[in-house]
Amino acid sequence: AMDKRFEDMQAQMDRRFEQVDKRLEQIDKRFDDVNKRFDDVNKRFDDVNKRFGILVALTTTFFVVLAGMMTALRIFG
């Protein structure tokens, strides 16, 4: 009778562990989905940073050219 009880308990524990494993797999899948979303967001931020860098470079170039023209007008004008 004791052996039967232990076998039943073992079978019940195995079922519970299988359920826990399934839940953990679901959680892993959710984390993977969240990571994919973060990767998309990071890519968007990288794109915005590149655009911002180009904007800064163009603005700096504009002001350098403007300052050069003002200097040339002062010297030659």
Side-chain angles (χ1 to χ4, degrees), residues 62-73:
F62 171 76
F63 282 113
V64 167
V65 169
L66 182 66
M69 289 174 64
M70 290 172 63
T71 303
L73 282 175

Side-chain angles (χ1 to χ4, degrees), residues 18-77:
E18 287 173 7
Q19 290 173 350
V20 170
D21 286 342
K22 288 179 184 177
R23 289 181 190 151
L24 289 175
E25 287 173 5
Q26 290 173 348
I27 291 171
D28 285 343
K29 184 180 176 192
R30 289 181 190 163
F31 277 123
D32 289 341
D33 291 343
V34 169
N35 283 336
K36 287 178 186 176
R37 290 183 194 153
F38 277 124
D39 289 342
D40 291 343
V41 170
N42 284 337
K43 185 177 181 247
R44 290 181 189 166
F45 276 118
D46 289 340
D47 292 344
V48 169
N49 283 338
K50 287 177 186 176
R51 290 181 186 169
F52 185 72
I54 291 170
L55 180 65
V56 168
L58 289 175
T59 305
T60 303
T61 303
F62 171 76
F63 282 113
V64 167
V65 169
L66 182 66
M69 289 174 64
M70 290 172 63
T71 303
L73 282 175
R74 214 176 234 185
I75 291 173
F76 298 115

